[in-house]
Amino acid sequence: MSPEATEDDALYQAALEEIDDCQSQIDSLNEQASEEILAVEVRFNTLRKPHYSKRAEIIAKVPRFWITAFMNHPQLSLSIPEDQQHCLQYLQNLLIEEFEDIKNGYKIILKFDPNNPYFENDTLVKEYRLEVSGQPKSVVTPIKWKPGKNILNDNSEKGSRKRKAFENSFFSWFTDSNHSNLDEIADILKDEIWPNPLQFFMMPEALSEEGDDDGDVDDEEDEDDEEGGEVDEGDSNYDTD
Amino acid sequence: MSPEATEDDALYQAALEEIDDCQSQIDSLNEQASEEILAVEVRFNTLRKPHYSKRAEIIAKVPRFWITAFMNHPQLSLSIPEDQQHCLQYLQNLLIEEFEDIKNGYKIILKFDPNNPYFENDTLVKEYRLEVSGQPKSVVTPIKWKPGKNILNDNSEKGSRKRKAFENSFFSWFTDSNHSNLDEIADILKDEIWPNPLQFFMMPEALSEEGDDDGDVDDEEDEDDEEGGEVDEGDSNYDTD
């Protein structure tokens, strides 16, 4: 190899090293940027928290707030059969709690009237977390159904056709800890309902039902002898206590 | 309506208004968070800029840096037929410039050797921007091909079969201002090559060709006489200019 070639080679190597140095600086700035963005998100989570708490407190006083919001959601309403609608009337609060390190997961917390006739629990939690291995995992509170009140079992008694229709129901979703990917109900609760539940609560019924009307047999209309429409037991007035 | 009902109704309305107030505060915090995150991104774009400039300066001195990086990218290499490989040897710099308001778009800037035998331009720019209407739009520098040097025309002379194969080639991508959605080449340049071109430049050929020849025939060893099939005009030594 000629001395010139060796010199060229050394210059070539030096250039690559210089590029690598620039790259390290860029990488380190990228990392800093990610950290700062995460810090902003964590800080605003803290700032939002008292407002979410206050919102939860007031919502708990409005009877059937959550079930009304749920039933006004065009997709979510399809997952809530009649008996589950009745049970979800006792849902007093829905909370989404992100982990301190928000990349690691979140919890969906459902607070029920402790006197609800369906189960002993007053709080049901479904937690989505990223394992150390990077695998997503979900953990759920076991529901302690009161005797004869397990809505999921009740469905199975009524034959496989009905059972199939409710496979993707709200409570079957809740109790299934395998739904890690493509978890439509979790996504709707976290990204659509939770950011602004009032807009669903207030949504005129006609609007929320628009999507259902065509073609499909919709048996929503002929259920009035039981509890009528979605949930309309008693008046939808403010609960004064 | 009984006086009680009226009172209940007023309390119900008051509760909804209180929820709405909380919601406004949450919305305003969300907006502030978005603004702060955007500010971090803009600030880091500024901080990264001098490092990108320095990187560009050094890279311009390494002959065939970009074409080597491109040909080592498993998908991008499929879009660069032989004549375009030859032309892209004259590419001295690739730059991605985000708009000041980064949500509005970015430019892919290709700087060529002004003495390149293919076209008069030394800079070709493909700009992706969001119109005020929200529509994405791309604008490209018209290439002033030197007489008889239009590679895109050359292909069309060789019959439709060959033309079809090159429909998604690098230069047909560049000149097509309709490729607004699913723009694979733009995405590769912006999100894979640009963040760290050195890793593609350095990538052993065998690795980048893995997808092409099945079996694990590793032809890294027998490249010593030429310098690797892709671009082999001249030595790949550092240009001492």
Side-chain angles (χ1 to χ4, degrees):
Chain A
M1 210 177 244
S2 71
E4 254 176 54
T6 317
E7 197 190 318
D8 280 0
D9 226 43
L11 285 165
Y12 176 79
Q13 278 309 323
L16 296 189
E17 271 161 36
E18 273 188 272
I19 298 170
D20 196 36
D21 285 348
C22 289
Q23 199 60 54
S24 304
Q25 311 239 30
I26 293 166
D27 290 348
S28 123
L29 285 168
N30 289 343
E31 214 168 287
Q32 275 177 58
S34 301
E35 273 167 29
E36 287 200 22
I37 287 169
L38 190 66
V40 172
E41 281 168 353
V42 169
R43 183 157 50 80
F44 275 91
N45 270 353
T46 310
L47 288 171
R48 276 184 288 246
K49 217 164 195 169
H51 300 286
Y52 282 135
S53 303
K54 198 183 164 196
R55 190 181 76 178
E57 218 175 89
I58 311 163
I59 286 179
K61 293 188 207 158
V62 179
R64 289 177 298 287
F65 181 91
W66 291 104
I67 180 61
T68 308
F70 289 3
M71 293 310 292
N72 280 341
H73 188 287
Q75 284 87 47
L76 188 55
S77 58
L78 301 177
S79 303
I80 310 182
E82 220 178 296
D83 49 0
Q84 298 195 16
Q85 285 174 40
H86 194 265
C87 177
L88 284 168
Q89 284 187 87
Y90 298 93
L91 177 60
Q92 293 179 330
N93 249 313
L94 164 77
L95 298 162
I96 307 287
E97 255 183 40
E98 296 194 87
F99 286 14
E100 205 136 316
D101 189 341
I102 57 179
K103 289 173 298 190
N104 289 347
Y106 63 96
K107 289 177 187 179
I108 299 176
I109 303 167
L110 304 169
K111 293 197 175 171
F112 284 84
D113 182 339
N115 299 318
N116 88 74
Y118 289 92
F119 37 74
E120 307 290 345
N121 320 56
D122 58 3
T123 305
L124 300 178
V125 180
K126 184 157 187 167
E127 183 179 309
Y128 291 83
R129 69 160 95 110
L130 223 52
E131 296 290 274
V132 185
S133 67
Q135 278 293 311
K137 193 182 169 182
S138 68
V139 184
V140 300
T141 310
I143 303 181
K144 294 182 202 148
W145 297 101
K146 292 185 177 171
K149 286 293 189 178
N150 187 336
I151 336 178
L152 293 172
N153 275 353
D154 281 352
N155 290 334
S156 70
E157 283 167 15
K158 291 178 187 169
S160 64
R161 197 160 153 267
K162 182 146 193 190
R163 215 164 84 218
K164 190 136 201 181
F166 293 160
E167 230 163 47
N168 297 315
S169 73
F170 190 88
F171 278 99
S172 61
W173 158 77
F174 181 82
T175 52
D176 183 355
S177 59
N178 296 319
H179 280 194
S180 287
N181 300 320
L182 280 175
D183 193 329
E184 204 193 354
I185 294 187
D187 289 347
I188 289 174
L189 294 178
K190 181 169 184 283
D191 301 329
E192 300 183 42
I193 303 276
W194 170 252
N196 192 342
L198 187 62
Q199 76 180 352
F200 288 100
F201 178 80
M202 300 291 283
M203 193 183 275
E205 257 178 58
L207 211 148
S208 70
E209 282 171 8
E210 237 167 37
D212 303 345
D213 289 342
D214 61 317
D216 308 45
V217 181
D218 197 337
D219 46 1
E220 216 168 358
E221 287 87 32
D222 41 39
E223 62 176 33
D224 40 26
D225 53 333
E226 301 212 350
E227 251 149 55
E230 271 100 36
V231 181
D232 61 353
E233 196 185 66
D235 295 319
S236 67
N237 284 334
Y238 182 74
D239 187 357
T240 46
D241 50 21
Chain B
M1 208 177 248
S2 71
E4 254 176 55
T6 316
E7 197 190 319
D8 280 1
D9 225 44
L11 285 164
Y12 176 80
Q13 278 309 322
L16 296 189
E17 271 161 36
E18 273 189 90
I19 299 171
D20 196 38
D21 283 349
C22 289
Q23 199 59 52
S24 303
Q25 310 240 31
I26 293 167
D27 290 347
S28 125
L29 286 168
N30 289 344
E31 214 169 285
Q32 274 178 57
S34 300
E35 272 168 29
E36 286 198 25
I37 287 169
L38 190 66
V40 172
E41 281 168 352
V42 168
R43 181 157 51 81
F44 275 92
N45 270 353
T46 311
L47 288 171
R48 275 185 288 247
K49 218 164 195 172
H51 300 287
Y52 281 135
S53 303
K54 199 184 165 196
R55 189 182 77 178
E57 217 175 88
I58 310 161
I59 286 178
K61 292 186 206 159
V62 179
R64 290 176 298 287
F65 181 92
W66 292 105
I67 181 61
T68 307
F70 289 3
M71 293 310 292
N72 280 341
H73 188 286
Q75 284 86 47
L76 188 56
S77 59
L78 302 176
S79 303
I80 310 182
E82 221 176 298
D83 50 359
Q84 298 195 14
Q85 284 173 41
H86 195 265
C87 177
L88 284 169
Q89 284 187 87
Y90 298 94
L91 177 60
Q92 294 180 329
N93 249 312
L94 165 76
L95 298 162
I96 307 287
E97 254 182 41
E98 295 193 89
F99 286 14
E100 206 135 317
D101 187 341
I102 57 179
K103 289 173 299 191
N104 289 346
Y106 64 97
K107 291 176 185 180
I108 297 176
I109 302 167
L110 304 168
K111 293 196 175 174
F112 285 85
D113 182 339
N115 299 318
N116 88 75
Y118 289 91
F119 37 74
E120 307 290 346
N121 320 56
D122 57 4
T123 305
L124 301 179
V125 180
K126 185 157 187 167
E127 184 180 309
Y128 292 82
R129 69 160 96 109
L130 223 52
E131 295 291 274
V132 184
S133 66
Q135 276 293 311
K137 193 182 171 181
S138 70
V139 183
V140 300
T141 311
I143 303 181
K144 294 181 200 149
W145 297 101
K146 291 184 178 172
K149 285 294 188 177
N150 186 337
I151 336 176
L152 292 172
N153 275 353
D154 282 351
N155 290 334
S156 69
E157 282 166 16
K158 290 176 186 169
S160 63
R161 198 160 152 266
K162 183 151 190 186
R163 217 166 80 215
K164 190 135 200 182
F166 293 161
E167 230 164 46
N168 297 315
S169 75
F170 190 89
F171 278 100
S172 61
W173 158 76
F174 180 82
T175 52
D176 183 355
S177 59
N178 295 319
H179 280 193
S180 287
N181 300 321
L182 280 174
D183 192 328
E184 204 192 355
I185 295 188
D187 289 346
I188 290 173
L189 294 177
K190 181 169 185 283
D191 301 328
E192 300 184 40
I193 303 276
W194 170 252
N196 191 343
L198 187 62
Q199 76 179 352
F200 288 100
F201 178 81
M202 300 292 283
M203 193 183 275
E205 255 177 61
L207 210 147
S208 69
E209 280 170 8
E210 238 168 37
D212 301 342
D213 43 21
D214 53 326
D216 301 294
V217 182
D218 192 339
D219 46 11
E220 207 174 11
E221 290 84 33
D222 44 39
E223 62 173 34
D224 37 26
D225 54 339
E226 287 208 355
E227 256 160 46
E230 269 101 39
V231 180
D232 59 354
E233 196 185 65
D235 296 317
S236 70
N237 284 333
Y238 183 72
D239 188 358
T240 44
D241 64 3

mmCIF file of all heavy atoms in Angstrom, chain A residues 132-161:
data_model
loop_
_atom_site.group_PDB
_atom_site.id
_atom_site.type_symbol
_atom_site.label_atom_id
_atom_site.label_comp_id
_atom_site.label_asym_id
_atom_site.label_seq_id
_atom_site.Cartn_x
_atom_site.Cartn_y
_atom_site.Cartn_z
ATOM 1 N N VAL A 132 -41.377 -6.044 32.939
ATOM 2 C CA VAL A 132 -39.964 -5.716 32.723
ATOM 3 C C VAL A 132 -39.505 -6.282 31.377
ATOM 4 O O VAL A 132 -38.716 -5.676 30.662
ATOM 5 C CB VAL A 132 -39.082 -6.265 33.877
ATOM 6 C CG1 VAL A 132 -37.630 -5.821 33.708
ATOM 7 C CG2 VAL A 132 -39.605 -5.792 35.227
ATOM 8 N N SER A 133 -40.075 -7.419 31.009
ATOM 9 C CA SER A 133 -39.732 -8.058 29.734
ATOM 10 C C SER A 133 -40.241 -7.269 28.532
ATOM 11 O O SER A 133 -39.917 -7.588 27.394
ATOM 12 C CB SER A 133 -40.358 -9.454 29.679
ATOM 13 O OG SER A 133 -41.781 -9.339 29.631
ATOM 14 N N GLY A 134 -41.065 -6.222 28.784
ATOM 15 C CA GLY A 134 -41.641 -5.470 27.679
ATOM 16 C C GLY A 134 -43.000 -6.011 27.251
ATOM 17 O O GLY A 134 -43.678 -5.430 26.411
ATOM 18 N N GLN A 135 -43.411 -7.138 27.841
ATOM 19 C CA GLN A 135 -44.722 -7.733 27.542
ATOM 20 C C GLN A 135 -45.832 -6.948 28.238
ATOM 21 O O GLN A 135 -45.709 -6.610 29.406
ATOM 22 C CB GLN A 135 -44.773 -9.178 28.078
ATOM 23 C CG GLN A 135 -44.143 -10.214 27.172
ATOM 24 C CD GLN A 135 -44.919 -10.387 25.871
ATOM 25 O OE1 GLN A 135 -46.123 -10.543 25.902
ATOM 26 N NE2 GLN A 135 -44.247 -10.336 24.744
ATOM 27 N N PRO A 136 -46.929 -6.657 27.509
ATOM 28 C CA PRO A 136 -48.051 -6.020 28.191
ATOM 29 C C PRO A 136 -48.807 -7.056 29.016
ATOM 30 O O PRO A 136 -48.848 -8.230 28.659
ATOM 31 C CB PRO A 136 -48.927 -5.527 27.033
ATOM 32 C CG PRO A 136 -48.578 -6.385 25.873
ATOM 33 C CD PRO A 136 -47.186 -6.930 26.094
ATOM 34 N N LYS A 137 -49.350 -6.632 30.156
ATOM 35 C CA LYS A 137 -50.050 -7.569 31.019
ATOM 36 C C LYS A 137 -51.234 -6.850 31.637
ATOM 37 O O LYS A 137 -51.159 -5.662 31.921
ATOM 38 C CB LYS A 137 -49.095 -8.028 32.132
ATOM 39 C CG LYS A 137 -49.613 -9.238 32.898
ATOM 40 C CD LYS A 137 -48.687 -9.640 34.023
ATOM 41 C CE LYS A 137 -49.385 -10.676 34.906
ATOM 42 N NZ LYS A 137 -48.564 -11.088 36.040
ATOM 43 N N SER A 138 -52.330 -7.541 31.840
ATOM 44 C CA SER A 138 -53.402 -6.887 32.575
ATOM 45 C C SER A 138 -53.816 -7.708 33.788
ATOM 46 O O SER A 138 -53.745 -8.929 33.786
ATOM 47 C CB SER A 138 -54.594 -6.552 31.668
ATOM 48 O OG SER A 138 -55.224 -7.716 31.234
ATOM 49 N N VAL A 139 -54.142 -6.978 34.844
ATOM 50 C CA VAL A 139 -54.498 -7.600 36.118
ATOM 51 C C VAL A 139 -55.854 -7.032 36.516
ATOM 52 O O VAL A 139 -56.060 -5.828 36.418
ATOM 53 C CB VAL A 139 -53.465 -7.230 37.208
ATOM 54 C CG1 VAL A 139 -53.778 -7.950 38.507
ATOM 55 C CG2 VAL A 139 -52.049 -7.548 36.744
ATOM 56 N N VAL A 140 -56.773 -7.909 36.943
ATOM 57 C CA VAL A 140 -58.108 -7.415 37.281
ATOM 58 C C VAL A 140 -58.538 -7.847 38.683
ATOM 59 O O VAL A 140 -58.127 -8.903 39.164
ATOM 60 C CB VAL A 140 -59.179 -7.918 36.280
ATOM 61 C CG1 VAL A 140 -58.861 -7.449 34.868
ATOM 62 C CG2 VAL A 140 -59.303 -9.442 36.298
ATOM 63 N N THR A 141 -59.351 -7.013 39.303
ATOM 64 C CA THR A 141 -59.948 -7.369 40.597
ATOM 65 C C THR A 141 -60.965 -8.498 40.362
ATOM 66 O O THR A 141 -61.841 -8.350 39.511
ATOM 67 C CB THR A 141 -60.756 -6.173 41.156
ATOM 68 O OG1 THR A 141 -59.951 -5.009 41.103
ATOM 69 C CG2 THR A 141 -61.229 -6.437 42.569
ATOM 70 N N PRO A 142 -60.865 -9.600 41.115
ATOM 71 C CA PRO A 142 -61.910 -10.623 40.983
ATOM 72 C C PRO A 142 -63.236 -10.063 41.510
ATOM 73 O O PRO A 142 -63.265 -9.438 42.567
ATOM 74 C CB PRO A 142 -61.403 -11.772 41.867
ATOM 75 C CG PRO A 142 -59.979 -11.419 42.223
ATOM 76 C CD PRO A 142 -59.846 -9.946 42.116
ATOM 77 N N ILE A 143 -64.305 -10.268 40.756
ATOM 78 C CA ILE A 143 -65.610 -9.758 41.188
ATOM 79 C C ILE A 143 -66.243 -10.769 42.149
ATOM 80 O O ILE A 143 -66.323 -11.953 41.832
ATOM 81 C CB ILE A 143 -66.548 -9.531 39.980
ATOM 82 C CG1 ILE A 143 -65.886 -8.553 38.980
ATOM 83 C CG2 ILE A 143 -67.906 -8.996 40.433
ATOM 84 C CD1 ILE A 143 -66.739 -8.239 37.756
ATOM 85 N N LYS A 144 -66.644 -10.286 43.322
ATOM 86 C CA LYS A 144 -67.333 -11.177 44.290
ATOM 87 C C LYS A 144 -68.832 -11.021 44.093
ATOM 88 O O LYS A 144 -69.483 -10.219 44.784
ATOM 89 C CB LYS A 144 -66.942 -10.790 45.722
ATOM 90 C CG LYS A 144 -65.467 -11.029 46.041
ATOM 91 C CD LYS A 144 -65.191 -10.670 47.499
ATOM 92 C CE LYS A 144 -63.704 -10.380 47.707
ATOM 93 N NZ LYS A 144 -63.476 -9.370 48.749
ATOM 94 N N TRP A 145 -69.368 -11.792 43.156
ATOM 95 C CA TRP A 145 -70.803 -11.693 42.849
ATOM 96 C C TRP A 145 -71.631 -12.109 44.059
ATOM 97 O O TRP A 145 -71.286 -13.055 44.775
ATOM 98 C CB TRP A 145 -71.158 -12.604 41.660
ATOM 99 C CG TRP A 145 -70.468 -12.229 40.375
ATOM 100 C CD1 TRP A 145 -69.376 -12.822 39.829
ATOM 101 C CD2 TRP A 145 -70.822 -11.159 39.489
ATOM 102 N NE1 TRP A 145 -69.024 -12.209 38.649
ATOM 103 C CE2 TRP A 145 -69.905 -11.173 38.415
ATOM 104 C CE3 TRP A 145 -71.839 -10.175 39.501
ATOM 105 C CZ2 TRP A 145 -69.945 -10.276 37.350
ATOM 106 C CZ3 TRP A 145 -71.881 -9.278 38.430
ATOM 107 C CH2 TRP A 145 -70.941 -9.338 37.384
ATOM 108 N N LYS A 146 -72.726 -11.429 44.278
ATOM 109 C CA LYS A 146 -73.665 -11.865 45.314
ATOM 110 C C LYS A 146 -74.420 -13.088 44.787
ATOM 111 O O LYS A 146 -74.522 -13.279 43.566
ATOM 112 C CB LYS A 146 -74.614 -10.711 45.676
ATOM 113 C CG LYS A 146 -73.863 -9.578 46.386
ATOM 114 C CD LYS A 146 -74.773 -8.462 46.880
ATOM 115 C CE LYS A 146 -73.917 -7.437 47.627
ATOM 116 N NZ LYS A 146 -74.666 -6.209 47.963
ATOM 117 N N PRO A 147 -74.929 -13.927 45.687
ATOM 118 C CA PRO A 147 -75.567 -15.173 45.239
ATOM 119 C C PRO A 147 -76.640 -14.934 44.163
ATOM 120 O O PRO A 147 -77.501 -14.073 44.333
ATOM 121 C CB PRO A 147 -76.202 -15.733 46.531
ATOM 122 C CG PRO A 147 -75.418 -15.117 47.647
ATOM 123 C CD PRO A 147 -74.971 -13.778 47.161
ATOM 124 N N GLY A 148 -76.514 -15.659 43.067
ATOM 125 C CA GLY A 148 -77.512 -15.571 41.988
ATOM 126 C C GLY A 148 -77.430 -14.299 41.174
ATOM 127 O O GLY A 148 -78.277 -14.028 40.337
ATOM 128 N N LYS A 149 -76.392 -13.489 41.416
ATOM 129 C CA LYS A 149 -76.340 -12.197 40.745
ATOM 130 C C LYS A 149 -75.256 -12.095 39.661
ATOM 131 O O LYS A 149 -75.041 -11.025 39.098
ATOM 132 C CB LYS A 149 -76.113 -11.089 41.791
ATOM 133 C CG LYS A 149 -77.346 -10.785 42.630
ATOM 134 C CD LYS A 149 -78.439 -10.159 41.758
ATOM 135 C CE LYS A 149 -79.595 -9.636 42.600
ATOM 136 N NZ LYS A 149 -80.615 -8.983 41.731
ATOM 137 N N ASN A 150 -74.551 -13.179 39.420
ATOM 138 C CA ASN A 150 -73.488 -13.137 38.410
ATOM 139 C C ASN A 150 -74.073 -13.020 37.000
ATOM 140 O O ASN A 150 -74.566 -13.991 36.430
ATOM 141 C CB ASN A 150 -72.621 -14.391 38.536
ATOM 142 C CG ASN A 150 -71.408 -14.332 37.628
ATOM 143 O OD1 ASN A 150 -71.416 -13.634 36.620
ATOM 144 N ND2 ASN A 150 -70.357 -15.042 38.000
ATOM 145 N N ILE A 151 -74.000 -11.806 36.465
ATOM 146 C CA ILE A 151 -74.616 -11.557 35.146
ATOM 147 C C ILE A 151 -73.926 -12.376 34.057
ATOM 148 O O ILE A 151 -74.534 -12.751 33.068
ATOM 149 C CB ILE A 151 -74.515 -10.076 34.708
ATOM 150 C CG1 ILE A 151 -74.371 -9.122 35.890
ATOM 151 C CG2 ILE A 151 -75.708 -9.701 33.874
ATOM 152 C CD1 ILE A 151 -74.216 -7.663 35.448
ATOM 153 N N LEU A 152 -72.660 -12.634 34.245
ATOM 154 C CA LEU A 152 -71.935 -13.380 33.209
ATOM 155 C C LEU A 152 -72.409 -14.830 33.186
ATOM 156 O O LEU A 152 -72.623 -15.401 32.120
ATOM 157 C CB LEU A 152 -70.424 -13.281 33.435
ATOM 158 C CG LEU A 152 -69.875 -11.863 33.238
ATOM 159 C CD1 LEU A 152 -68.424 -11.784 33.671
ATOM 160 C CD2 LEU A 152 -70.012 -11.403 31.776
ATOM 161 N N ASN A 153 -72.622 -15.427 34.352
ATOM 162 C CA ASN A 153 -73.168 -16.785 34.413
ATOM 163 C C ASN A 153 -74.586 -16.839 33.879
ATOM 164 O O ASN A 153 -74.948 -17.743 33.144
ATOM 165 C CB ASN A 153 -73.192 -17.294 35.856
ATOM 166 C CG ASN A 153 -71.858 -17.886 36.240
ATOM 167 O OD1 ASN A 153 -70.995 -18.021 35.381
ATOM 168 N ND2 ASN A 153 -71.699 -18.212 37.500
ATOM 169 N N ASP A 154 -75.374 -15.847 34.260
ATOM 170 C CA ASP A 154 -76.769 -15.819 33.813
ATOM 171 C C ASP A 154 -76.861 -15.949 32.306
ATOM 172 O O ASP A 154 -77.668 -16.689 31.785
ATOM 173 C CB ASP A 154 -77.432 -14.514 34.240
ATOM 174 C CG ASP A 154 -77.831 -14.584 35.711
ATOM 175 O OD1 ASP A 154 -77.713 -15.690 36.302
ATOM 176 O OD2 ASP A 154 -78.258 -13.562 36.246
ATOM 177 N N ASN A 155 -75.992 -15.242 31.620
ATOM 178 C CA ASN A 155 -76.032 -15.292 30.157
ATOM 179 C C ASN A 155 -75.767 -16.684 29.641
ATOM 180 O O ASN A 155 -76.400 -17.136 28.698
ATOM 181 C CB ASN A 155 -75.002 -14.328 29.570
ATOM 182 C CG ASN A 155 -75.420 -12.900 29.816
ATOM 183 O OD1 ASN A 155 -76.610 -12.614 29.960
ATOM 184 N ND2 ASN A 155 -74.451 -12.007 29.893
ATOM 185 N N SER A 156 -74.829 -17.373 30.284
ATOM 186 C CA SER A 156 -74.450 -18.689 29.778
ATOM 187 C C SER A 156 -75.599 -19.678 29.905
ATOM 188 O O SER A 156 -75.696 -20.634 29.161
ATOM 189 C CB SER A 156 -73.217 -19.204 30.510
ATOM 190 O OG SER A 156 -73.547 -19.517 31.832
ATOM 191 N N GLU A 157 -76.510 -19.419 30.859
ATOM 192 C CA GLU A 157 -77.667 -20.311 31.010
ATOM 193 C C GLU A 157 -78.631 -20.194 29.831
ATOM 194 O O GLU A 157 -79.377 -21.110 29.524
ATOM 195 C CB GLU A 157 -78.451 -19.964 32.280
ATOM 196 C CG GLU A 157 -77.772 -20.477 33.546
ATOM 197 C CD GLU A 157 -78.383 -19.861 34.793
ATOM 198 O OE1 GLU A 157 -79.488 -19.286 34.713
ATOM 199 O OE2 GLU A 157 -77.734 -19.945 35.843
ATOM 200 N N LYS A 158 -78.617 -19.037 29.208
ATOM 201 C CA LYS A 158 -79.628 -18.785 28.175
ATOM 202 C C LYS A 158 -79.216 -19.288 26.789
ATOM 203 O O LYS A 158 -79.689 -18.808 25.767
ATOM 204 C CB LYS A 158 -79.957 -17.294 28.118
ATOM 205 C CG LYS A 158 -80.709 -16.843 29.377
ATOM 206 C CD LYS A 158 -81.000 -15.359 29.351
ATOM 207 C CE LYS A 158 -81.589 -14.915 30.684
ATOM 208 N NZ LYS A 158 -81.637 -13.459 30.776
ATOM 209 N N GLY A 159 -78.303 -20.232 26.743
ATOM 210 C CA GLY A 159 -77.957 -20.836 25.452
ATOM 211 C C GLY A 159 -76.804 -20.132 24.777
ATOM 212 O O GLY A 159 -76.533 -18.963 25.030
ATOM 213 N N SER A 160 -76.150 -20.851 23.897
ATOM 214 C CA SER A 160 -74.897 -20.357 23.345
ATOM 215 C C SER A 160 -75.085 -19.149 22.419
ATOM 216 O O SER A 160 -74.193 -18.356 22.246
ATOM 217 C CB SER A 160 -74.184 -21.478 22.603
ATOM 218 O OG SER A 160 -74.961 -21.869 21.501
ATOM 219 N N ARG A 161 -76.274 -19.026 21.799
ATOM 220 C CA ARG A 161 -76.454 -17.928 20.862
ATOM 221 C C ARG A 161 -76.354 -16.585 21.602
ATOM 222 O O ARG A 161 -75.608 -15.701 21.210
ATOM 223 C CB ARG A 161 -77.800 -18.043 20.148
ATOM 224 C CG ARG A 161 -77.852 -17.187 18.902
ATOM 225 C CD ARG A 161 -78.935 -17.617 17.943
ATOM 226 N NE ARG A 161 -79.354 -16.476 17.161
ATOM 227 C CZ ARG A 161 -80.378 -15.702 17.500
ATOM 228 N NH1 ARG A 161 -81.088 -15.950 18.572
ATOM 229 N NH2 ARG A 161 -80.692 -14.674 16.733
#
